[in-house]
């Protein structure tokens, strides 16, 4: 009984540390925006917290299958991560925060270096720049070049084996943007 109580107390203390780390990460994301590394480290902290919750349950319920529950939780969390389009989520999160005025800067380097799933967020940001007279900025020029490069890349992919939902969303976003602002189709 003593060992189970000590294990439970240590697990609770670990959960407090994980909660503190998640709170600090939330503050950091709020201040500087979301990145892949910040999202993945937060995801990992949640997975570890789940395992420690299972350890606490195991301390008091002898029939609880700790290894099986932990394995199922890790597999489900990995499946959730793999099935989610987290690059698109990150780009949309950062662009939405910039457009809403929650932050005054946006990490253009991260957007320009992002993969195809970030293209709809880039098109949304460029539309915002068009509507608010910010097309003379260096960042807008970089975003325009990114869209044109992605357009060229996506136009080359006509095979059925290269189809993906992110690339289709990117094609649609590029077409909608350049249909609305046709003068921006040439790279500066």
């Amino acid at each position: 009984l003593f060992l189970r109580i000590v294990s439970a107390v240590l697990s609770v203390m670990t959960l407090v540390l994980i909660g503190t780390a998640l709170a600090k990460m939330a503050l950091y994301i709020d201040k500087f925006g979301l990145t892949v590394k910040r999202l993945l480290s937060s995801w990992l902290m949640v997975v570890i917290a789940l395992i420690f919750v299972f350890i606490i349950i195991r301390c008091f319920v002898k029939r609880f299958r700790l290894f099986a529950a932990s394995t199922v939780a890790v597999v489900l969390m990995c499946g959730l991560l793999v099935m989610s389009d987290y690059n698109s989520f990150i780009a949309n999160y950062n662009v939405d925060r910039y457009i809403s005025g929650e932050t005054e800067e946006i990490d253009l380097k991260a957007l320009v270096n992002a993969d195809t799933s970030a293209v709809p967020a880039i098109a949304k940001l460029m539309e915002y720049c068009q509507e608010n007279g910010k097309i003379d900025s260096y960042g807008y020029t970089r975003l325009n070049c990114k869209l044109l490069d992605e357009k060229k890349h996506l136009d080359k992919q006509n095979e059925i084996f290269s189809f993906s939902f992110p690339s289709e969303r990117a094609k649609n976003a590029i077409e909608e943007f350049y249909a609305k602002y046709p003068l921006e189709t040439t790279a500066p």
Side-chain angles (χ1 to χ4, degrees), residues 85 87-88 91-92 95 110-111 114-123 146 166 170:
D85 188 10
N87 285 313
S88 175
N92 280 316
V95 167
L111 275 177
D115 64 357
T116 304
S117 59
V119 169
I122 292 171
K146 169 71 174 179

Side-chain angles (χ1 to χ4, degrees), residues 76-145:
L76 288 176
M77 289 296 287
C78 285
L80 178 69
L81 181 67
V82 169
M83 297 300 286
S84 68
D85 188 10
Y86 61 86
N87 285 313
S88 175
F89 173 75
I90 291 168
N92 280 316
Y93 176 84
N94 290 332
V95 167
D96 289 342
R97 286 192 59 217
Y98 178 75
I99 290 173
S100 69
E102 290 179 43
T103 184
E104 296 174 9
E105 293 182 16
I106 190 162
D107 189 359
L108 289 175
K109 183 179 178 186
L111 275 177
V112 170
N113 292 334
D115 64 357
T116 304
S117 59
V119 169
I122 292 171
K124 185 191 322 183
L125 179 60
M126 289 179 66
E127 189 172 329
Y128 170 78
C129 290
Q130 282 279 351
E131 293 170 355
N132 292 293
K134 297 182 178 185
I135 60 172
D136 296 330
S137 69
Y138 172 68
Y140 184 84
T141 304
R142 288 177 67 193
L143 294 174
N144 191 33
C145 289

